[in-house]
Amino acid sequence: MAERWRFRWPDWTRLFLHLAAVNVVSNLMEPLAGLIDTAYLGHLSDIRHLAGVAIAGVAFNFIYWSFSFLRLGITGTTAQATGRGDEDKAIEIALRYGVIALIAGLALLILHPLLRELAFALLQGTAEVKASGREYFNARILSAPANLMLMAISGWFLGRARSSAVLLLTGIGSFSNIAFNYGFVVY
């Protein structure tokens, strides 16, 4: 009789906790990589590079989070299609958001001189800091299509409850970022 009243977690709780934990870890990887990159730049003899990257980073945070709908919007619609067992619809959603991400990324590449000058007009810094920030902006904007596609792909995998794939993609991106920055900044 005591067994009958024992509390049991619902079946979905384990999946939910797994998805949430992996999502939190994957969301922490990018800021952690940025922290390590900052440490690399902090060891340079001229501090203007660190300051330039910092103000350009503010601009990129604003730009990329303006496109967060690519990750957030696709997650819900993909989860609905996957829950209904409609694989064709889930793939259609991935393709639709992928095309949107690609077009938006290419638009950012085309408009980057305007975006860069607008950002640096709004952000304050010395002429040397802004020059260093512009160099960083010009280099980092080249990854805009890939970054936006990664947002869409991550959202699609989260909608399909494949958070391990998101963790793997984020891990590869973050660790390669750390390795390349180590090579480019230190050497």
Side-chain angles (χ1 to χ4, degrees):
M1 179 142 177
E3 187 68 30
R4 187 174 134 187
W5 296 103
R6 192 173 130 197
F7 177 76
R8 298 185 110 167
W9 288 100
D11 293 337
W12 56 266
T13 307
R14 185 176 143 165
L15 176 63
F16 173 78
L17 291 176
H18 174 75
L19 289 172
V22 172
N23 198 18
V24 167
V25 171
S26 69
N27 283 332
L28 288 175
M29 281 190 184
E30 190 172 337
L32 180 62
L35 183 66
I36 294 170
D37 295 344
T38 302
Y40 292 154
L41 289 169
H43 285 85
L44 293 177
S45 59
D46 195 353
I47 197 70
R48 72 182 167 93
H49 299 298
L50 177 60
V53 167
I55 61 173
V58 169
F60 276 106
N61 285 341
F62 179 77
I63 290 169
Y64 285 144
W65 276 107
S66 297
F67 291 96
S68 63
F69 69 89
L70 289 170
R71 182 172 178 168
L72 303 174
I74 194 173
T75 302
T77 54
T78 301
Q80 290 173 349
T82 302
R84 287 190 307 266
D86 191 350
E87 288 298 313
D88 291 338
K89 185 67 171 176
I91 291 171
E92 177 190 325
I93 291 166
L95 291 173
R96 184 180 327 129
Y97 275 86
V99 168
I100 292 170
L102 185 60
I103 291 170
L106 293 174
L108 287 176
L109 283 178
I110 292 167
L111 297 173
H112 93 270
L114 175 65
L115 293 170
R116 181 192 61 224
E117 294 311 311
L118 178 62
F120 283 94
L122 295 172
L123 300 169
Q124 293 186 7
T126 65
E128 296 85 18
V129 167
K130 285 187 175 186
S132 182
R134 282 184 178 93
E135 287 178 35
Y136 175 74
F137 190 98
N138 290 339
R140 187 169 172 196
I141 196 68
L142 297 174
S143 68
N147 277 326
L148 296 182
M149 289 290 289
L150 182 61
M151 289 173 116
I153 291 168
S154 296
W156 189 73
F157 277 130
L158 287 173
R160 297 181 62 82
R162 301 272 319 271
S163 57
S164 298
V166 175
L167 184 61
L168 179 66
L169 287 172
T170 307
I172 290 170
S174 295
F175 289 119
S176 62
N177 177 14
I178 291 168
F180 282 123
N181 283 338
Y182 180 78
F184 290 132
V185 173
V186 175
Y187 295 106

